[in-house]
């Protein structure tokens, strides 16, 4: 998760780090005097809770230092922080999440359930704005406010000026050709930046806007793998009078389309695997646990969070056991709420997890799993 892999692939390296973990999910909303006072009191409140859980002084100091108000974010807004051996490994502001009671936790592995739920089906995407003299491309994640990385391309204004400086002669073939060559180079540079970011972060959407000629040039020079995921907005955003609010809304609509398609595809896959004697869908808590023990799960689907269940976490394969199991005693770390242990086992078996709304899973079950290969009669039992 440190790499924002999200619901399409959890970063298992977090669970492989040694030492104690401390996590905190807290409300950092502002807007009222009471809210401001609550945020101001957070560090001391969290310090006491961490102390009662035998957290180290280094972990307490690292975590409480980053519990600052989320200025610039509309309420409600939460902050999730994870610390390992005195190092802040995760620090994320989650807009739209209302936290009634702070969730503070210390243990041998991180409790990332709250963050995983908040991220939902999040994915990385790019927003590129092109102009004839350059452009900019920014990396975003669908459930996190603000860009994570930005790259710009700036053409040489002197070069463009000299190419067009002869009054009344711009339309002459030589001058026009020089100017168009500059535009072409700028478009190639921006397309290269887009391709690099898309490859490095495995983005699933590219939104391209800006000057009509420039965006057409950039789109034509994108790599073959990125053209199908590119959506062009008919907006010239690199002008002084551009409506940035309308642009942000248009980008969000494109993001929502991808999220909606994801959910439809998941629902269809579950429906296609239900019934008809197929055994590549595990239904129910016990079946999902058994499939995770076999590293058989492709995607865990959670509709109800199984908060009333507990599981045993192991420090090696098969990573988890039911409370009734008596084997693998030498691998036992301890017993925790099922959502934490399930999420950890999902990551450590290279599976993914999705938290889905009611109605996606058949038969009223609260948890299911799409499998990499069919269950055997023994596994099903």
């Amino acid at each position: 998760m440190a790499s924002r892999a999200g619901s399409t692939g959890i970063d298992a390296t977090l669970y492989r780090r040694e030492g104690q973990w401390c996590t905190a999910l807290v409300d950092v909303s502002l807007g009222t005097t009471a809210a401001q006072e609550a945020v101001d009191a957070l560090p001391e409140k969290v310090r006491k809770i961490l102390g009662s859980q035998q957290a180290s002084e280094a972990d307490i100091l690292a975590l409480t230092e980053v519990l600052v108000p989320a200025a610039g974010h509309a309420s409600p807004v939460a902050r999730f922080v994870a610390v390992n051996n005195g190092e802040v490994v995760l620090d994320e502001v989650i807009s739209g999440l209302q936290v009634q009671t702070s969730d503070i936790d210390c243990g041998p592995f991180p409790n990332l359930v709250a963050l995983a739920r908040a991220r939902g089906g999040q994915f990385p995407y790019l927003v590129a704005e092109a102009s004839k003299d350059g452009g900019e491309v920014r990396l975003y994640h669908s459930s996190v406010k603000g860009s994570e990385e930005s790259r710009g391309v700036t053409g040489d204004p002197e070069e463009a000026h000299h190419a067009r400086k002869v009054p009344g002669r711009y339309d002459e073939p030589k001058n026009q050709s020089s100017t168009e060559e500059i535009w072409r180079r700028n478009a190639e540079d921006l397309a290269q930046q887009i391709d690099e970011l898309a490859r490095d972060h495995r983005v699933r959407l590219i939104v391209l806007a800006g000057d009509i000629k420039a965006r057409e040039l950039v789109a034509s020079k994108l790599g073959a793998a990125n053209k199908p995921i590119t959506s062009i907005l008919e907006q010239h955003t690199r002008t002084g009078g551009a409506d940035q609010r309308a642009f942000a809304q248009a980008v969000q609509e494109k993001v929502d389309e991808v999220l909606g398609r994801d959910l439809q595809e998941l629902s269809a896959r579950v429906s296609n695997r239900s019934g008809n004697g197929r055994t590549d869908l595990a239904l129910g808590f016990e079946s999902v646990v058994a499939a995770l023990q076999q590293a058989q799960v492709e995607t865990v689907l959670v509709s109800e969070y199984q908060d009333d269940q507990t599981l045993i976490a192991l420090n090696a394969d098969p990573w988890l056991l039911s409370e009734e199991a008596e084997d693998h005693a030498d691998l036992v770390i301890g017993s925790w709420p099922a959502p934490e242990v399930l999420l950890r086992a999902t990551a450590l078996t290279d599976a993914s997890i999705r938290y889905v709304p009611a109605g996606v899973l058949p038969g009223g079950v609260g948890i299911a799993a799409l499998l990499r290969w069919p269950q055997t009669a023994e596994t099903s039992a």
Side-chain angles (χ1 to χ4, degrees):
M1 293 181 126
S3 63
R4 296 184 183 274
S7 64
T8 55
I10 301 165
D11 186 353
T13 62
L14 295 183
Y15 292 106
R16 298 185 187 279
R17 292 178 62 141
E18 297 181 353
Q20 186 182 55
W21 282 87
C22 293
T23 58
L25 177 69
V26 296
D27 180 54
V28 288
S29 303
L30 298 176
T32 66
T33 301
Q36 180 69 62
E37 291 174 350
V39 173
D40 290 342
L42 260 180
E44 184 58 30
K45 176 183 176 181
V46 172
R47 169 178 285 278
K48 290 180 179 178
I49 296 174
L50 291 174
S52 70
Q53 297 185 19
Q54 287 75 53
S56 70
E57 190 58 36
D59 286 345
I60 294 174
L61 180 63
L63 199 152
T64 54
E65 280 187 342
V66 296
L67 294 181
V68 296
H73 293 260
S75 298
V77 58
R79 190 174 215 110
F80 180 86
V81 183
V83 171
N84 174 239
N85 295 328
E87 176 191 355
V88 177
V89 180
L90 290 170
D91 177 16
E92 294 202 12
V93 172
I94 307 171
S95 296
L97 179 63
Q98 188 167 17
V99 177
Q100 300 289 354
T101 304
S102 297
D103 187 358
I104 317 297
D105 193 23
C106 289
F109 59 86
N111 179 5
L112 304 177
V113 175
L115 187 60
R117 292 181 187 177
R119 284 180 172 177
Q122 76 94 29
F123 61 91
Y125 67 96
L126 300 177
V127 175
E129 299 176 73
S131 62
K132 293 172 182 175
D133 61 351
E136 184 179 15
V137 55
R138 297 182 298 279
L139 172 68
Y140 293 88
H141 289 80
S142 58
S143 65
V144 180
K145 185 175 181 180
S147 63
E148 183 173 281
E149 185 173 346
S150 176
R151 297 185 187 180
V153 171
T154 304
D156 185 345
E158 280 297 310
E159 187 179 30
H161 172 71
H162 285 299
R164 303 184 63 177
K165 71 178 181 178
V166 182
R169 294 179 59 191
Y170 167 64
D171 288 336
E172 292 185 8
K174 181 178 179 180
N175 288 317
Q176 184 174 356
S177 176
S178 297
T179 303
E180 290 180 349
E181 173 62 18
I182 295 169
W183 295 348
R184 184 190 64 77
R185 289 205 306 269
N186 291 337
E188 284 183 344
D189 289 346
L190 185 58
Q192 182 179 356
Q193 296 288 352
I194 294 171
D195 283 340
E196 288 179 0
L197 278 172
R199 180 189 64 246
D200 293 346
H201 297 275
R202 299 181 181 179
V203 305
R204 298 185 52 210
L205 171 69
I206 299 169
V207 180
L208 180 58
D211 173 84
I212 184 170
K213 179 66 175 179
R215 68 183 182 234
E216 287 177 352
L217 279 171
V218 172
S220 69
K221 297 182 182 301
L222 290 174
N226 292 324
K227 289 181 179 179
I229 63 171
T230 299
S231 181
I232 297 178
L233 294 182
E234 303 296 329
Q235 296 187 34
H236 190 351
T237 52
R238 294 179 68 81
T239 61
D243 187 341
Q244 294 301 321
R245 180 173 296 182
F247 176 55
Q249 182 177 348
V251 171
Q252 186 59 49
E253 288 174 358
K254 297 298 182 182
V255 171
D256 290 343
E257 287 177 8
V258 176
L259 291 170
R261 284 198 303 270
D262 276 358
L263 197 56
Q264 289 177 352
E265 290 171 3
L266 270 177
S267 183
R269 291 178 67 192
V270 170
S271 179
N272 291 338
R273 297 190 188 196
S274 300
N276 300 323
R278 298 189 63 172
T279 57
D280 49 0
L281 177 68
L283 292 174
F285 184 77
E286 293 181 1
S287 293
V288 171
V289 169
L292 281 169
Q293 289 174 325
Q294 303 296 320
Q296 191 178 3
V297 173
E298 175 190 333
T299 305
V300 176
L301 305 171
V302 182
S303 178
E304 298 172 4
Y305 297 140
Q306 317 300 315
D307 290 324
D308 57 340
Q309 302 270 10
T310 57
L311 288 168
I312 297 172
L314 306 179
N315 61 16
D317 182 71
W319 302 116
L320 78 169
L321 291 174
S322 65
E323 289 286 7
E324 296 76 23
E326 297 180 357
D327 49 349
H328 302 295
D330 56 323
L331 302 179
V332 171
I333 303 174
S335 178
W336 279 272
E340 300 175 37
V341 182
L342 284 168
L343 183 62
R344 176 176 178 266
T346 299
L348 291 170
T349 55
D350 295 321
S352 62
I353 193 164
R354 286 298 302 268
Y355 297 89
V356 298
V360 172
L361 303 184
V365 299
I367 187 169
L370 299 167
L371 305 181
R372 295 178 171 126
W373 64 86
Q375 292 176 315
T376 63
E378 181 182 351
T379 303
S380 300

